[in-house]
Amino acid sequence: MEAVKGVSMRIRPGSTVALVGESGSGKSVIAQSIMGILPDAGRIKSGEILFANPTQGGEVVDIAALSPDSKEMRDIRGGEISIIFQEPMTSLSQFHTIGNQIGEALHLHRDIGRNEGREAVENMLRLVGFPNPAGAMNCYAFELSGGLRQRAMIAMALVCRPALLIADEPTTALDVSIQANILKLIKDLQSELGMAVLMITHDLGVVANVADEVVVLYHGQIMESGQVEDIFRKPTHKYLRSLINAVPHFNMKTGERLTPVHEIEYESGPLMSAKEPWPEGSDKEATLLSVKGLTKHFTTRKQSWIGSKEESRMTAVDGVNFDIKRGECLGLVGESGCGKTTVSKIIMRAISPDAGTIRFNDHGNDVDLFSVDDEKMMPLRRKIQMIFQDPVGSLNPRMTVFDIIREPLVIHEIGSAREQADMVLELVRLVGLDPRFLNRYPHSFSGGQRQRIGLARALALKPDLLICDEPVSALDVSIQAQVLNLFKDLKKDLNLTYLFISHNLAVVDYIADRIAVMCQGRIVEIAPRELLFSNPVHHYTRRLMAAVPYPDLDRKLDFSSFGRVGGDEPAAWPKPFAIGPDLPSAMFDLGGEHYVLAAEGTSHRELVS
């Protein structure tokens, strides 16, 4: 199998080249070839990779002709060409401190003393924006946030000050604000160190903001390449135009759909349409789920070196209130760590809240989800289902797709074996999968296909409410467009209600009816989607919107407006939005179902001015 077919490209000193394409197009294979880290099954059949080594006076060496284990290649790898991987948690050791890991890369390629090396590592951590570089030296990867782990990877890649940095999907699963920080960091370091960057991505918004040249890859072949101005203003290849049309963006017209490269064809059948009917005359827009005063604290204990235990109390969810109507999609957006997933787990009764109530409308019967015992909760679990962010982690690798989708029917003792098999066949057609693949295992499917398997499993019990926790955050833009269109179609055809959790405002704008913006455990603004995006009031909402990268050269990000990871502290927000223990706040009604969190005593005029 040929993963890459006759690819030719160049990277000028100090420039940024974006390598764009879907998963499986060969982007990472090109990066692995340049680094000399191809898997055992891979080999370079023909062609050359010419590198003008600056430490050798610009002498040109053919990397493709070098043995991956040779001293010359080891000197280049990490010393002259470095790489940032997509997922830092799988790339960083969990058993070594961040300081040790970055220091190891430095000592491998530079003749430097221990104290001097430690100082160089600390300076690099400071350069990549760690708030406490000295303290970070002794931290482990699992103790850092996603944004700080990615910065640690960048520090490791840059500690030897390479001539070329390969960034392989460095911001794919990061929040938009942290993504903007990471992109700003790479641009600043590129300017300071004078290095070239090969940015591997499928996000055309990122490309428009950082690239000088663009190479578009599809099935291992280059479809189009050129200067970023030509690529965006005069795209000629059909595949490139399809990629541009697949990106969700603000201000989409009513009824306008994303256009993926390949649309999902699905079939709705009689079994799924035969759902439990609601009582005759029931309100079609009645509240299905009501969350009031939801609060959750976590206590962490850390063993100190003298044997004592230090306790710290963290507020994950702080007085959250929202309602979801029947047939509605409520988008819940915010940065990682703001409490979105904790809210979803509490709704599912996976964890218990410290305070608050959750009431569910079970076909006209008002049920307090935390007042019923496990036996009475069992039939209610059929009405509320969840789709997870990582389909790989949520699908059993030892079960076939048939068994995975059938499992909920078996657990809830629904139907005979034959009826269950018929339901599975209908479900796979419903999410656009080929029934011939039912005996395969999850690893043999693409990311988008695995997400559709998770969706089919969630739909098996014919739920009324689907909680979707970042279901498209790690998917390519074209696959993301497929899945988002499928979510919209199934919502209409099956009369589903969604709580759609995401950090991508453009995605939520496309699929949601109303949007709640969450920060540090609190909802700071909630409004109908068209009202929120036409008139964002809260400071934090405006910051999130300013961080969304557009695939538009005329709407580039203002990198000067982004500071450290995580943005401002709520207590430092401008008045009247600053909140904290000594700054009491309340939700204010601006009309039209638009609510915003502000300091108590704030006037309506202050909020709308």
Side-chain angles (χ1 to χ4, degrees), residues 271-272 402 405-406 409-410 413-427 460 462:
L271 296 178
M272 279 304 297
F402 177 86
I405 299 175
R406 183 191 177 201
L409 302 172
V410 174
E413 300 178 349
I414 298 174
S416 64
R418 181 60 190 171
E419 289 169 337
Q420 291 172 357
D422 290 341
M423 176 63 86
V424 171
L425 284 172
E426 184 169 313
L427 284 164
K462 304 179 185 178

Side-chain angles (χ1 to χ4, degrees), residues 114 123 188 193 226 311 340 343 364 366 410 429 447 478 549 576 579:
R114 181 177 179 181
N123 287 335
D188 291 346
L193 302 178
E311 288 194 3
K340 304 187 302 295
V343 168
D366 185 43
V410 174
R429 293 191 181 101
S478 181
I579 58 175

Side-chain angles (χ1 to χ4, degrees), residues 314-539:
M314 182 196 76
T315 303
V317 180
D318 188 5
V320 164
N321 300 289
F322 62 81
D323 293 334
I324 309 177
K325 299 174 184 176
R326 282 180 59 192
E328 180 185 40
C329 176
L330 176 69
L332 186 60
V333 300
E335 296 174 287
S336 293
C338 73
K340 304 187 302 295
T341 297
T342 302
V343 168
S344 71
K345 289 180 178 179
I346 293 174
I347 295 173
M348 294 296 296
R349 277 202 15 172
I351 55 178
S352 299
D354 296 328
T357 61
I358 301 176
R359 308 196 74 85
F360 180 69
N361 184 350
D362 181 18
H363 292 251
N365 298 317
D366 185 43
V367 180
D368 183 347
L369 292 184
F370 285 93
S371 68
V372 296
D373 58 26
D374 290 341
E375 184 179 349
K376 292 181 179 178
M377 186 65 197
M378 192 65 173
L380 288 173
R381 291 193 183 280
R382 294 170 55 178
K383 311 293 177 61
I384 307 173
Q385 289 291 299
M386 191 165 184
I387 301 170
F388 300 94
Q389 177 176 359
D390 179 13
V392 177
S394 63
L395 300 177
N396 191 328
R398 296 178 179 86
M399 293 174 68
T400 64
V401 170
F402 177 86
D403 291 330
I404 287 171
I405 299 175
R406 183 191 177 201
E407 186 179 28
L409 302 172
V410 174
I411 291 171
H412 288 268
E413 300 178 349
I414 298 174
S416 64
R418 181 60 190 171
E419 289 169 337
Q420 291 172 357
D422 290 341
M423 176 63 86
V424 171
L425 284 172
E426 184 169 313
L427 284 164
V428 294
R429 293 191 181 101
L430 185 67
V431 297
L433 290 173
D434 193 328
R436 292 177 298 174
F437 301 155
L438 280 172
N439 289 326
R440 292 186 180 182
Y441 292 86
H443 71 268
S444 62
F445 292 88
S446 68
Q449 289 172 325
R450 284 194 290 258
Q451 198 58 277
R452 285 186 269 158
I453 293 169
L455 175 57
R457 178 179 61 183
L459 292 175
L461 297 175
K462 304 179 185 178
D464 293 316
L465 174 66
L466 270 183
I467 300 174
C468 310
D469 189 5
E470 302 273 13
V472 296
S473 64
L475 300 180
D476 299 338
V477 287
S478 181
I479 306 301
Q480 174 183 271
Q482 287 181 343
V483 176
L484 288 175
N485 284 346
L486 181 62
F487 272 113
K488 292 194 75 166
D489 293 338
L490 294 181
K491 175 177 176 289
K492 180 180 178 181
D493 292 349
L494 302 178
N495 193 28
L496 294 170
T497 304
Y498 294 150
L499 173 61
F500 197 95
I501 298 171
S502 180
H503 60 251
N504 190 325
L505 280 167
V507 165
V508 174
D509 178 39
Y510 179 64
I511 196 166
D513 301 303
R514 286 189 303 132
I515 298 173
V517 181
M518 196 169 179
C519 179
Q520 295 202 6
R522 305 190 70 176
I523 289 179
V524 298
E525 190 165 4
I526 184 168
R529 54 159 290 279
E530 65 277 2
L531 199 55
L532 184 76
F533 290 112
S534 63
N535 182 33
V537 172
H538 200 280
H539 166 76

Side-chain angles (χ1 to χ4, degrees), residues 536-552:
V537 172
H538 200 280
H539 166 76
Y540 180 73
T541 307
R542 291 175 177 175
R543 281 190 61 85
L544 279 184
M545 291 184 66
V548 176
Y550 284 82
D552 186 345

